[in-house]
Amino acid sequence: MDIIDKKYFDSFKSFVDKHEFFFIAGHKEPDGDCVASCLGIAAILDNYKKPYQLLSAGPFKRNEVNAFESKFSQKMKFQDINERKATGLIITDCSEIMRLGEIDGDFKDLDTFIIDHHKTSEITDCSKGYINSASPACAYLVQLFYENLIGEVPEDIAKILFFGICTDTGFFRFLPPSNEASDLMNACSRLIKYGADPKTTYNQINNGKPFTTRKLLGILLSKTELYFNGRLAVTYESLEDTRKYGLEGRDTDSLYQLLLSSKGVEAAVFLRQDTPSTCTGGFRSQDKIDVSIVAAKFGGGGHKNASGMSCNGQIEKLLPSVIKEFAKIMN
């Protein structure tokens, strides 16, 4: 458990001791790793008997995180000036306030601690925290904070953290050979010892998808075009597609898996028209292609092989720009 230097555990403990109340927040459109990381932080604060509020802009469209939506709020608890001075903000699985999304409240000037693992994240002069882009999942980092500060993880929290790790690693499919991967597997072994159940977790992540997501998956596959001699697969979801099939959610993980398992495909792009004037995008790749470079060009970020973005624009104008940026890194 030496992936994190002791000074970071001490810094977090000092941060917790310093404040009387906390806001805990992760990125908008939370995935399993984001939700699990927030709940893991909440469990640490529970141990120290510190009150908090879990915040998320949502939406909780992923089938596997629906059950956790009721634990989060989109509106910050009102505080007067003195209460805000005694409040800490803990951001996990991202590092930028803008990536938290539309939460009703003001994060300005709140003392902030960040725990994250995205390549494009950074600790600013206004924040404290720990970022390790080599970590396969943020929930893994939260597990290490819990174990080092408190001890053995309770069964209910072990199940949540294991769930978070599994969602971000594709149930370990995305792990490259590395010391970090080896350490993570040892950590997962401890979580299973604490009570995490791999079979139940796999079913929780992969089963129970709405049938409309199967229909949408077919639409997206039918729209897919290949570029650069078949190395880049590109597809998109229109407002009409969302209206017909996407209101109950979508299964982008299966989409990326199908595209990247196609012969010769090294990277995949999925764009979605969220509103008439805004789009979100997801980029995935095999080992060699660093999609975070492209995501950063459009105000997004993430990991080398998995990144996202959100910006103003329409798909028909945005797609050529995205493809042009991929051309620069796929030569």
Side-chain angles (χ1 to χ4, degrees):
M1 293 190 289
D2 57 357
I3 184 176
I4 303 176
D5 192 284
K6 184 178 180 296
K7 68 180 181 181
Y8 293 106
F9 300 127
D10 294 340
S11 176
F12 184 74
K13 179 61 166 58
S14 297
F15 184 84
V16 171
D17 290 339
K18 179 181 176 182
H19 300 95
E20 298 302 319
F21 185 84
F22 297 86
F23 293 116
I24 306 170
H27 59 76
K28 63 183 179 180
E29 296 193 37
D31 56 8
D33 190 33
C34 178
V35 167
S37 298
C38 288
L39 294 176
I41 293 296
I44 294 175
L45 296 181
D46 282 334
N47 187 270
Y48 291 118
K49 296 180 170 51
K50 295 281 188 173
Y52 56 84
Q53 183 185 22
L54 288 158
L55 297 171
S56 177
F60 286 73
K61 283 195 171 184
R62 296 172 182 261
N63 183 67
E64 64 270 21
V65 300
N66 286 343
F68 300 104
E69 182 173 7
S70 62
K71 296 181 179 294
F72 293 80
S73 173
Q74 290 185 327
K75 185 175 182 179
M76 294 172 68
K77 175 184 176 181
F78 174 78
Q79 294 181 317
D80 61 30
I81 295 176
N82 290 328
E83 287 173 327
R84 284 181 65 85
K85 290 179 180 178
T87 293
L89 169 63
I90 302 175
I91 300 176
T92 185
D93 203 32
C94 74
S95 64
E96 306 89 358
I97 294 291
M98 64 177 294
R99 287 208 65 211
L100 301 183
E102 297 298 321
I103 293 175
D104 186 359
D106 183 11
F107 293 110
K108 185 179 179 181
D109 297 328
L110 286 177
D111 196 12
T112 302
F113 197 99
I114 294 166
I115 299 177
D116 192 16
H117 72 130
H118 290 94
K119 180 181 178 181
T120 53
S121 296
E122 62 179 355
I123 302 293
T124 67
D125 293 338
C126 302
S127 305
K128 308 171 186 66
Y130 177 76
I131 296 175
N132 186 337
S133 61
S135 173
C138 190
Y140 166 48
L141 300 179
V142 174
Q143 176 188 347
L144 296 183
F145 272 87
Y146 193 106
E147 290 175 318
N148 279 273
L149 293 172
I150 298 170
E152 290 192 4
V153 181
E155 180 178 337
D156 59 333
I157 303 303
K159 290 178 177 178
I160 289 171
L161 293 174
F162 186 72
F163 162 76
I165 291 170
C166 289
T167 56
D168 235 35
T169 63
F171 225 92
F172 312 114
R173 298 194 318 274
F174 307 143
L175 290 182
S178 65
N179 290 333
E180 289 79 13
S182 176
D183 290 341
L184 177 130
M185 296 304 289
N186 287 330
C188 286
S189 177
R190 295 195 301 274
L191 291 177
I192 294 171
K193 181 180 178 181
Y194 300 145
D197 180 350
K199 179 180 179 181
T200 299
T201 303
Y202 182 88
N203 290 333
Q204 180 183 3
I205 294 171
N206 293 285
N207 294 349
K209 310 285 187 183
F211 182 70
T212 52
T213 66
R214 311 297 90 185
K215 297 280 286 186
L216 180 58
L217 186 58
I219 295 294
L220 299 179
L221 288 172
S222 70
K223 290 184 175 184
T224 303
E225 299 287 346
L226 298 178
Y227 296 83
F228 313 131
N229 296 319
R231 297 169 62 209
L232 177 68
V234 178
T235 189
Y236 63 91
E237 179 181 328
S238 68
L239 288 172
E240 180 65 12
D241 296 332
T242 302
R243 185 188 68 79
K244 281 186 175 182
Y245 305 114
L247 296 180
E248 291 186 83
R250 55 189 49 79
D251 189 8
T252 49
D253 290 338
S254 292
L255 174 66
Y256 295 132
Q257 185 177 353
L258 287 168
L259 294 178
L260 290 176
S261 65
S262 301
K263 184 177 179 179
V265 174
E266 299 176 22
V269 171
F270 167 55
L271 293 186
R272 183 174 75 244
Q273 192 77 52
D274 289 323
T275 72
S277 61
T278 61
C279 288
T280 57
F283 310 141
R284 299 293 186 272
S285 68
Q286 307 285 10
D287 292 338
K288 296 180 181 179
I289 308 298
D290 187 350
V291 296
S292 70
I293 296 173
V294 177
K297 294 287 186 179
F298 297 92
H303 306 291
K304 176 183 176 182
N305 302 124
S307 290
M309 46 76 72
S310 180
C311 67
N312 294 325
Q314 290 79 40
I315 286 175
E316 58 269 21
K317 295 181 180 179
L318 187 59
L319 262 181
S321 298
V322 171
I323 293 168
K324 183 179 179 179
E325 292 301 325
F326 268 93
K328 296 176 182 179
I329 64 172
M330 297 186 73
N331 288 335

